Amino acid sequence: MVEGSASAAMAPPRPLGPHGGEDDSGRRRRVTSGRVSSVLVGAVVVAVLAGPWLERRFGLSAFEAWRTLLVAIVVQGVPFLLLGTVVSAAIGAFIPARAFSKILPRNPVLAVPVAGAAGVVLPGCECASVPVAGSLMRRGVAPAAALTFLLAAPAVNPVVLVSTAIAFPGKPEMVAARLGASLVTSVVMGWLWIRWGREEWLRLPTGHAQHAPGAGRLEAFRRGLQHDFLQAGGFLVVGAMAAATFNVLVPPSVLEAFSGSPWLGVLVAAALAVLLSVCSEADAFVASSFTGFSPTARLTFMVVGPMVDMKLIALQSGAFGRAFAARFCAGTFVVAILCCVLVGGVLL
């Protein structure tokens, strides 16, 4: 393997207790993560139930908009998050590690584009891709290939491409540009990780609780689903809160001031994609409403969003560590913009 992914390709085994279960430190981390996620999910429930009373009692009109946006983002993301955690748990419980070595090329440089093309088969959003990528790493897939899949899956699956075609009727070049720019970005990031990625940046996801000998695959699936969903759900709520806060605090007039400039429009559209955190299945309809922005700027909104948004940053931080998320998301943001400018200049 190429240096950078060679050491990161193999995750260190999770410390086990005397009976094959996880050790005390692993158990404490899992319990703490579950409690934090439960508190965050509980905060959303309280906001939903107590919101109308708070609005009447204190006249918090802005809180109503914030609460509505928060719930909309969470409700939009939860089904796909559940899909991702189901796939993740199924991979860990039912698919042997040797299956992936047969599918992906041994050379990580070749495995990266194969993983990018494999993103077509998962009809989900970015919420689903993070737990699946983590499960792939746990099964021995090189991080570069798993991360390429993480970026490609939300952006090139058939549901997203069809929604883009519907949002931009009579403009097949927009669909082709989104497919091309998204695939190029994901593959380039995979190759960049092979070249410059470091093991200490990536906290390789340790598997969910190990099971005593004799535990069935269905029990392993159940516990894996519970662990992944609770952990990822809490970070989804964090990202949704940040996105809702931005939507409420920033007036539309601020955005209109930048839409007239082609270069500023691209940068503003990329920033909006990160902050608004629209699900990849719906972002094309939001992009089509940005009539003041150039086609390349709207393309940038659709490519950056599924790869770098507030809830995805939070999910990556929870799954792979904050050091990784800061570097990987920043790199993806820059590469995605450059790819959109190049592809947009050719096709749009």
Side-chain angles (χ1 to χ4, degrees):
M1 281 190 178
V2 180
E3 181 184 4
S5 70
S7 58
M10 297 301 296
R14 186 168 189 157
L16 300 179
H19 302 293
E22 61 183 332
D23 66 357
D24 290 339
S25 61
R27 188 178 297 108
R28 284 195 297 269
R29 286 194 299 269
R30 180 169 57 87
V31 171
T32 300
S33 176
R35 288 175 178 172
V36 172
S37 298
S38 298
V39 169
L40 292 171
V41 173
V44 174
V45 174
V46 171
V48 174
L49 298 179
W53 178 82
L54 290 173
E55 293 153 16
R56 291 193 303 269
R57 180 69 176 80
F58 299 102
L60 302 176
S61 57
F63 183 76
E64 179 180 4
W66 182 88
R67 179 173 59 91
T68 301
L69 289 168
L70 170 64
V71 173
I73 294 173
V74 171
V75 170
Q76 188 181 56
V78 162
F80 298 103
L81 179 63
L82 179 60
L83 171 64
T85 52
V86 168
V87 174
S88 172
I91 289 173
F94 301 114
I95 300 180
R98 62 180 180 274
F100 298 103
S101 63
K102 296 179 180 179
I103 297 173
L104 292 174
R106 291 183 179 273
N107 188 334
V109 175
L110 300 178
V112 163
V114 173
V120 176
V121 304
L122 180 61
C125 72
E126 56 272 23
C127 301
S129 64
V130 173
V132 173
S135 184
L136 290 174
M137 292 185 200
R138 290 196 294 264
R139 306 304 289 173
V141 173
L147 295 174
T148 300
F149 178 85
L150 182 154
L151 296 177
V156 301
N157 68 73
V159 176
V160 168
L161 297 179
V162 170
S163 69
T164 304
I166 295 174
F168 293 90
K171 295 183 178 180
E173 65 275 10
M174 185 63 80
V175 180
R178 180 172 194 176
L179 174 62
S182 298
L183 274 178
V184 171
T185 300
S186 60
V187 171
V188 167
M189 285 305 300
W191 284 336
L192 288 177
W193 179 263
I194 291 175
R195 179 62 181 85
W196 285 292
R198 297 181 182 178
E199 180 181 1
E200 58 266 26
W201 294 349
L202 176 61
R203 186 187 67 199
L204 288 176
T206 52
H208 45 75
Q210 302 292 324
H211 312 294
R217 292 182 180 273
L218 288 178
E219 176 64 11
F221 171 79
R222 184 190 68 79
R223 293 194 181 186
L225 176 61
Q226 179 183 18
H227 172 272
D228 288 346
F229 184 77
L230 284 178
Q231 184 183 54
F235 287 98
L236 171 62
V237 171
V238 171
M241 286 180 172
T245 301
F246 172 83
N247 275 272
V248 171
L249 295 181
V250 179
S253 57
V254 174
L255 305 178
E256 294 172 358
F258 298 99
S259 62
S261 170
W263 290 106
L264 282 179
V266 168
L267 295 177
V268 170
L272 281 177
V274 175
L275 296 170
L276 295 182
S277 300
V278 183
C279 186
S280 60
E281 275 76 15
D283 61 1
F285 299 97
V286 177
S288 65
S289 68
F290 294 161
T291 55
F293 286 85
S294 67
T296 299
R298 286 186 277 182
L299 171 66
T300 303
F301 179 87
M302 294 186 291
V303 172
V304 171
M307 298 184 180
V308 190
D309 65 18
M310 295 299 292
K311 62 180 184 293
L312 184 56
I313 293 172
L315 287 168
Q316 287 187 17
S317 298
F320 308 121
R322 285 175 292 182
F324 166 82
R327 293 176 171 88
F328 190 73
C329 290
T332 303
F333 183 80
V334 174
V335 171
I337 291 176
L338 293 176
C339 289
C340 287
V341 171
L342 292 175
V343 173
V346 173
L347 297 180
L348 302 178

